[in-house]
Structure formats: C-alpha cells, structure tokens
Amino acid sequence: MKTMISLAVASTLLMSGAALAQDGTKVEDAIKYRQSALTTLAWNFGPLGAMAKGDMDYDAEEAAMRAKRVQELAVMPWEGFIEGSLRNDGHGIETAALAKTGDNWDDFEKKQQDFEEEATKLAEVVSNDDDFAALRKQVAATSKTCKNCHDEYRAEN
Amino acid sequence: MKTMISLAVASTLLMSGAALAQDGTKVEDAIKYRQSALTTLAWNFGPLGAMAKGDMDYDAEEAAMRAKRVQELAVMPWEGFIEGSLRNDGHGIETAALAKTGDNWDDFEKKQQDFEEEATKLAEVVSNDDDFAALRKQVAATSKTCKNCHDEYRAEN
C-alpha cells in the first residue's frame, strides 16, 4: 500500500503539517481531486464516444483536441487514491472507490496503465490519421479499459 | 454571449436532445465540469506555489511535471461557462461565477488568455532551466492572472 501515496501528495500533506493521509480534511481533498480529475476526463471523452457511436457528427479537429486532453488527463487522477481514502475507511466522505481496491493495488495500478496506454494510442490514432474507422476502434479499446477498472473497483451506487 | 457556447458543448447538448443551455441538467453538468477542471488545476498548481513560497522543498522534476499539467489544464475549464450557467441564472446550482461575468465576456476571455499565456511560459521556464529563481518569478506571474480573474468574476462566498 506504500505506493498509494505519491511523493507529491506526501509533500503536499507534509508541508501543511497534516498527518499523512490520516487527516480528515486532506483525505477529503484527495477524494475531491480524483473525482474532479475523473469528471474532467469523462467530459472530454464524451464527444469521442458520441462520435464513435454515431450520436455526434465526426469532426477530426474536435476528435484530435479531445483525444489529446484524454491522454493528458489519463495520468492525473491516481495520486488522489491516498491511503485511508477508500470506502469504509471511516472518513465519512462519499466515494465510489471500493475498499477492495486497496487489497488489489497492483491490479488497480495495472488497470490504470492499461488505460493510459490506450489513451496514448487514441491520441496518436486521431492526430496521425483522419480515419474514422481507426478512431472508432481505438475509442472502443480505450473505453474498455475504463470499464475493466470500474467493473472491479467502482461501486455501482 | 454567443461565444460562451463552444461547438463541442453545443454538440454534446444536441446529441442528447437537450435544450441548448436551457436544460437544467445540462447546465449542471457544465458547472460541475468547469468546477472539476478548476479543482484539478488548483491541486496541480499547489505544489508549485508551495515551492515558490518555500513551504515545500524545490524539486525540479516535480515542478516540471506540475507545470506541464497546469499548462495542459489551463485551456479546459472555459467551455463549461455556457449560457445560463452563471449565478442568478435561475438554475439553482451553487456556483461562484458572478452574473457580471456575462456582461464582461470579452474581458473574461482576455483574462483566460492571460492565464493560458503565463501557464505556457511557466511550463517553458520549468522545463528549460533548473532555475529556482525563474520558477519563483513565473509562478508569481501565473498566480497573478488567476487572482485578476477571481477578484473580478468569482464570488467570495
């Protein structure tokens, strides 16, 4: 579980004199941060999903912009999963991050990496080719890595 | 006020059949999105501010990573300021975005651009030089553009 706390977060917590991931406010900040990063990600992925499904007209420029942002954002949420910030950790803050995430940390990190890799390919596919079929395929591959992690570690309610 | 609605947002709204920026749920999504993007931004700017103030040890690698993220995120929040989403617009959602933002849209956009420019310089300064003095100066310049906009258009309560 040591890897749950990035150096950055540790530094942020230490500089404020707060207990490391045991201070209620800081756990709240970390949860709010990861939820915010994931919301920002979902908003930007939305138009790509809509284009892939045919719910939105394909626009190569828009697709490239969204894919670039998805790639940039893909690495950001994870440092918010600090120790003591999962469900049932006693912090009293609403979070969908299941307690079993902590018991399967290596797998959780593997799933993050899978997503980051597919998001990187997505940005490459979209910027290199004005190719709707390739976009569609890679949007599906990326989306699958989101689902793989959500199915396992995100609460449904 | 037409420029308040980006094509992306318009498309997202249209694809779901929602009224353009007049549907309560969609206004809520836009508000939640911009707040999320700004929270993600603030979290990543935090360590840079702390390093500049001496509250956190200077770490060139950490600074470069944070500055890159700040630059990437700097362009994201603004599309969330859709028409009908400011304070007193009758949507009933908590937002600090003052109504006068809509009356001074050109100035609001100018302030966004000022911030984006300083954030770009920040990423350049940090990645080109392992130079704490330059970082400190550019963190202050970037922070000033945040404050310029907050002082004018963000509610204090």
Side-chain angles (χ1 to χ4, degrees), chain A residues 100-134:
Chain A
K100 73 171 181 172
T101 311
D103 302 326
N104 298 282
W105 197 253
D106 288 348
D107 183 57
F108 182 51
E109 288 194 324
K110 171 72 172 56
K111 285 177 164 52
Q112 295 164 21
Q113 284 161 19
D114 289 345
F115 168 58
E116 290 169 25
E117 281 168 24
E118 297 301 339
T120 299
K121 283 185 211 162
L122 181 65
E124 284 166 6
V125 161
V126 169
S127 65
N128 289 340
D129 306 298
D130 185 2
D131 179 343
F132 179 64

Side-chain angles (χ1 to χ4, degrees), chain B:
Chain B
M1 295 281 284
K2 268 186 191 165
T3 50
M4 287 186 74
I5 305 168
S6 78
L7 282 177
V9 172
S11 305
T12 306
L13 292 169
L14 285 170
M15 86 195 176
S16 65
L20 198 60
Q22 289 175 351
D23 173 287
T25 311
K26 294 306 164 186
V27 165
E28 185 169 357
D29 285 351
I31 292 173
K32 192 179 170 196
Y33 168 69
R34 75 192 184 213
Q35 290 174 341
S36 294
L38 288 162
T39 296
T40 308
L41 190 46
W43 171 281
N44 280 288
F45 192 74
L48 291 166
M51 285 183 211
K53 281 183 199 161
D55 291 334
M56 183 175 162
D57 284 345
Y58 173 57
D59 175 331
E61 197 179 332
E62 163 92 7
M65 183 269 277
R66 297 295 171 191
K68 178 175 174 287
R69 291 189 181 182
V70 166
Q71 181 190 11
E72 290 165 354
L73 289 159
V75 298
M76 297 191 196
W78 320 123
E79 64 175 306
F81 290 84
I82 63 172
E83 198 162 357
S85 72
L86 301 174
R87 264 203 187 188
N88 308 325
D89 273 343
H91 46 65
I93 304 153
E94 208 172 307
T95 168
L98 292 171
K100 74 171 181 173
T101 311
D103 303 325
N104 298 281
W105 198 252
D106 288 348
D107 183 57
F108 182 51
E109 288 195 324
K110 171 74 171 56
K111 286 177 164 50
Q112 294 165 22
Q113 284 161 17
D114 290 346
F115 168 56
E116 290 168 24
E117 282 168 22
E118 297 300 340
T120 299
K121 281 186 214 164
L122 181 65
E124 285 165 4
V125 162
V126 169
S127 64
N128 289 340
D129 306 297
D130 186 2
D131 179 344
F132 180 63
L135 166 76
R136 225 178 143 201
K137 194 178 159 194
Q138 192 52 35
V139 166
T142 308
S143 189
K144 193 168 180 300
T145 60
C146 301
K147 190 176 182 301
N148 282 349
C149 196
H150 293 166
D151 283 353
E152 204 65 39
Y153 301 118
R154 186 176 70 166
E156 287 178 18
N157 53 53

Side-chain angles (χ1 to χ4, degrees), chain A residues 18-156:
Chain A
L20 199 60
Q22 291 175 349
D23 174 287
T25 311
K26 295 304 164 187
V27 166
E28 185 170 356
D29 285 352
I31 292 174
K32 193 181 169 195
Y33 167 70
R34 73 192 185 211
Q35 290 174 341
S36 295
L38 287 163
T39 296
T40 308
L41 190 47
W43 171 282
N44 281 288
F45 192 73
L48 291 165
M51 285 183 211
K53 281 185 202 162
D55 292 334
M56 182 174 162
D57 284 344
Y58 173 56
D59 176 330
E61 197 178 334
E62 165 91 9
M65 183 269 277
R66 296 295 170 192
K68 179 174 173 287
R69 289 188 183 184
V70 167
Q71 182 190 11
E72 290 166 354
L73 290 160
V75 298
M76 297 191 197
W78 321 122
E79 64 174 307
F81 289 84
I82 63 171
E83 198 162 354
S85 72
L86 301 175
R87 265 204 186 186
N88 308 324
D89 274 343
H91 47 64
I93 303 152
E94 208 172 309
T95 168
L98 292 172
K100 73 171 181 172
T101 311
D103 302 326
N104 298 282
W105 197 253
D106 288 348
D107 183 57
F108 182 51
E109 288 194 324
K110 171 72 172 56
K111 285 177 164 52
Q112 295 164 21
Q113 284 161 19
D114 289 345
F115 168 58
E116 290 169 25
E117 281 168 24
E118 297 301 339
T120 299
K121 283 185 211 162
L122 181 65
E124 284 166 6
V125 161
V126 169
S127 65
N128 289 340
D129 306 298
D130 185 2
D131 179 343
F132 179 64
L135 167 76
R136 226 179 141 200
K137 195 178 158 194
Q138 192 52 35
V139 165
T142 309
S143 188
K144 193 166 181 300
T145 60
C146 301
K147 189 174 181 304
N148 282 350
C149 196
H150 292 166
D151 283 352
E152 205 66 38
Y153 300 119
R154 187 176 69 167
E156 286 178 18

